[in-house]
Amino acid sequence: NSKTQEETDMHVAIDGPSGAGKSTVARRLARELGCVYMDTGAMYRAVGLLAHRLGVDDRDDEALSRMLDAGVEIRAALAPEGQRTLLNGEDVEDQIRTQEIGMAASNVAACPSVRRALVAMQRQAAQGCDVVMDGRDIGTNVLPRAEHKFFLTASPRVRAQRRCDELRARGQAAEFDQILREVQERDEQDMNRKESPLVRAADAVEVRTDDLGIDEVVQVLLALMGRA
Ligand code: DC
């Protein structure tokens, strides 16, 4: 058998803008397939949170690089009660899910040293295991040889509404017009940065989720994978 380890692992890459339904879909898909689920956005959020706490400028690549060099351990684990993100062992799942930390995440994600460090952790984690990974650059950069690549999209209004619902479900205040502006600002920044911008990989299948519920999207992806 001449196949390398990388070729025998099942890697599923799910990319797209915020609010397209990536993480919910990816988590369900991972369960259906018996794979590990990895939320790479949570890792950028954890770095954003750490910078925020330490008063490090989240756009200063050198300062962020020093912060990471000092030793940071990030784990995005799926516990039975749901996703937990651990920053140096501390559960920061709730703290990283605010709009403010979402923006900090988008800022740190534009910095080359942060991307280098997190991409290395993500590739390492995917090695030797079947994984569904969601993010912005999974199909293009983290796992370019992934067996299945999907690019989920939805209109900005639909995505903003989903964000609002998600924040309210977490007991946070959410105002639609403001969320819509933030969604657009974050897309703009994620799509136009120099380092690994959000872009559909040439071999990724685009799925528009505007009119589809979570179950329907999962069924579409399973069908596209030949697993329905
Ligand atoms: O998916 P999310 O909203 O949790 O992601 C938070 C931010 O991190 C988002 O603005 C884009 C960035 N990100 C990235 O640049 N690359 C990834 N693989 C995942 C997230």
Side-chain angles (χ1 to χ4, degrees):
N1 186 347
S2 63
K3 285 198 163 188
T4 62
Q5 177 74 56
E6 190 186 348
E7 284 167 330
T8 57
D9 297 335
M10 180 169 63
H11 289 166
V12 182
I14 301 187
D15 291 301
S18 54
K22 293 185 307 289
S23 57
T24 315
V25 166
R27 202 174 300 131
R28 290 269 189 96
L29 192 64
R31 199 168 58 205
E32 293 281 334
L33 297 168
C35 290
V36 169
Y37 162 61
M38 217 174 141
D39 174 357
T40 63
M43 300 173 75
Y44 289 93
R45 286 171 179 268
V47 173
L49 176 69
L50 185 63
H52 181 77
R53 281 181 177 176
L54 298 176
V56 170
D57 179 353
D58 60 23
R59 291 172 182 269
D60 183 339
D61 187 56
E62 269 184 38
L64 290 167
S65 174
R66 279 194 299 276
M67 181 183 89
L68 293 178
D69 283 346
V72 177
E73 196 211 6
I74 298 165
R75 304 213 339 198
L78 194 56
E81 68 276 15
Q83 155 110 16
R84 304 303 343 159
T85 301
L86 302 182
L87 172 62
N88 293 327
E90 176 193 349
D91 186 337
V92 293
E93 182 60 29
D94 293 329
Q95 293 175 56
I96 61 170
R97 299 296 169 189
T98 65
Q99 284 294 99
E100 188 185 18
I101 298 304
M103 204 59 219
S106 180
N107 289 340
V108 302
C111 293
S113 63
V114 174
R115 299 208 74 84
R116 227 174 3 253
L118 295 193
V119 168
M121 284 184 208
Q122 290 154 13
R123 286 190 182 140
Q124 171 84 34
Q127 221 172 54
C129 77
D130 295 341
V131 62
V132 176
M133 209 182 264
D134 85 46
R136 303 293 188 289
D137 63 335
I138 310 306
T140 50
N141 184 38
V142 179
L143 304 173
R145 299 170 68 190
E147 193 179 343
H148 301 284
K149 297 184 185 181
F150 300 108
F151 195 79
L152 301 191
T153 59
S155 70
R157 295 191 73 83
V158 167
R159 294 188 288 111
Q161 189 57 55
R162 288 179 184 161
R163 269 306 282 161
C164 272
D165 296 345
E166 194 181 307
L167 288 169
R168 289 183 186 139
R170 286 173 182 272
Q172 295 179 37
E175 206 259 306
F176 180 79
D177 290 332
Q178 191 195 339
I179 303 279
L180 178 61
R181 275 195 303 277
E182 287 171 358
V183 160
Q184 285 168 326
E185 188 185 343
R186 199 131 72 84
D187 286 355
E188 171 78 18
Q189 178 159 310
D190 294 341
M191 288 187 297
N192 294 310
R193 67 185 179 216
K194 273 211 249 39
E195 288 285 318
S196 304
L198 168 64
V199 61
R200 181 174 72 84
D203 54 350
V205 180
E206 181 165 339
V207 177
R208 297 201 63 92
T209 68
D210 294 70
D211 302 316
L212 300 176
I214 295 296
D215 288 336
E216 289 168 308
V217 180
V218 173
Q219 288 314 313
V220 168
L221 300 196
L222 285 169
L224 288 167
M225 296 173 71
R227 301 259 180 160

